[in-house]
Amino acid sequence: MPVGTTRTTHGGQVALRGVVAMDGPSGTGKSTVSRRLAQSCAAAYLDTGAMYRAATLAVLRAGLGEDAPAGEMTEVATGARMESGTDPSSPTITLDGDDVSAEIRGPEVTGLVSAVSALPDVRTRLVARQHALIEAAVSRGGGIVVEGRDIGTVVVPDAPLKVYLTASPEVRAARRGRQNARAGREADLHTTLADVERRDRLDSSRRVSPLYAAADALVLDTDRLSADAVLDRLRELVAERGLDG
Ligand code: DC
């Protein structure tokens, strides 16, 4: 995939050119800082987790659950009609034409998404869509911040900047708890921590594209870093790599 690294400006604004790959488990602040980074440098933004979540919602809407045969889940998930927006100011995702941005964050989807995202054909299909969206942003001469679990290892292995965010499970569960509370979703801290640990285990141990930091990724531990501090570091890295205009 072409990931140009030439300096550019859009209307005098500092702009990103090329792909920034943002990986790491949930609750590291990855979505917040990825979106803000994209906004601050006039780049596109792609939340690949939202795509796996929308595919999972399609599986649930088809009446399938954890015990469904892998083949049935794969058929529904790969056939799901979804559209991902790449505007960081209002990232949206639709399923069968409905905006499902809020629904995909609910507990039913969160409970099943690790199983659906471990299905090899689902990954192949969604990675192909991701490539098309990334190519579209880069071929317009711009940049894109892509967040997920396998961006630096599988989706864009030649990205000029790869960042892997980490944080302890306790800090990540506390952050998820605050997010849930803000969105009006009830969940006690114990349940949230158990869910964070369960998904870490499943996402890191799956056979296809497991979660791990690429050898050339910069690993940032966000336990003691605010979102502003992480964003400052990312902007420094963009400048150091010559990806800004
Ligand atoms: O980032 P998130 O919590 O919204 O991601 C939801 C799930 O999707 C997560 O448990 C792992 C999976 N995922 C994946 O397997 N690969 C990606 N590139 C992004 C997410």
Side-chain angles (χ1 to χ4, degrees), residues 26 30 48-50 52-53 105 113-114 117 123 147-151 176 199 203 206:
S26 65
K30 195 174 39 150
T48 61
Y52 289 97
R53 285 176 177 272
R105 309 283 159 199
V113 66
S114 287
S117 59
R123 298 203 73 83
E147 68 153 290
R149 301 291 192 286
D150 60 343
I151 310 305
R176 261 289 132 92
R199 281 209 291 150
D203 295 343
R206 67 176 174 229

Side-chain angles (χ1 to χ4, degrees), residues 11-190:
Q13 194 180 10
V14 170
L16 172 76
R17 190 166 166 116
V19 180
V20 176
M22 298 287 300
D23 287 306
S26 65
T28 52
K30 195 174 39 150
S31 294
T32 305
V33 296
S34 298
R35 258 181 85 173
R36 285 179 59 192
L37 176 66
Q39 278 176 305
S40 75
C41 49
Y45 161 73
L46 181 61
D47 174 4
T48 61
M51 298 170 81
Y52 289 97
R53 285 176 177 272
T56 303
L57 182 59
V59 168
L60 287 166
R61 282 184 174 176
L64 301 174
E66 223 168 334
D67 304 329
E72 280 183 38
M73 283 209 249
T74 298
E75 196 179 325
V76 174
T78 55
R81 233 173 23 91
M82 66 174 83
E83 295 285 340
S84 310
T86 56
D87 176 355
S89 308
S90 58
T92 51
I93 186 152
T94 64
L95 181 65
D96 291 325
D98 295 339
D99 184 343
V100 291
S101 313
E103 200 176 347
I104 57 169
R105 309 283 159 199
E108 293 81 12
V109 170
T110 300
L112 191 64
V113 66
S114 287
V116 173
S117 59
L119 297 166
D121 290 351
V122 174
R123 298 203 73 83
T124 304
R125 178 63 67 94
L126 292 190
V127 168
R129 284 171 195 249
Q130 290 157 21
H131 281 161
L133 291 162
I134 294 167
E135 290 272 7
V138 173
S139 65
R140 285 195 296 266
I144 184 163
V145 180
V146 187
E147 68 153 290
R149 301 291 192 286
D150 60 343
I151 310 305
T153 51
V154 173
V155 181
V156 196
D158 59 350
L161 176 58
K162 299 179 187 180
V163 177
Y164 187 92
L165 297 183
T166 62
S168 64
E170 290 73 19
V171 166
R172 292 191 285 123
R175 286 179 184 150
R176 261 289 132 92
R178 284 195 293 273
Q179 261 172 18
N180 283 336
R182 275 198 299 273
R185 286 188 295 267
E186 301 245 335
D188 66 85
L189 198 58
H190 182 75

Side-chain angles (χ1 to χ4, degrees), residues 218-233:
L218 188 116
V219 179
L220 268 183
D221 183 338
T222 69
D223 260 11
R224 284 183 196 73
L225 290 178
S226 66
D228 284 346
V230 176
L231 189 63
D232 285 348
R233 183 71 190 111

Side-chain angles (χ1 to χ4, degrees), residues 25 114-115 117-120 123 149-150 164 196-213:
S114 287
S117 59
L119 297 166
R123 298 203 73 83
R149 301 291 192 286
D150 60 343
Y164 187 92
V196 160
E197 290 178 327
R198 181 185 66 89
R199 281 209 291 150
D200 282 358
R201 217 172 30 251
L202 292 171
D203 295 343
S204 309
S205 64
R206 67 176 174 229
R207 201 168 46 79
V208 192
S209 304
L211 168 68
Y212 68 96

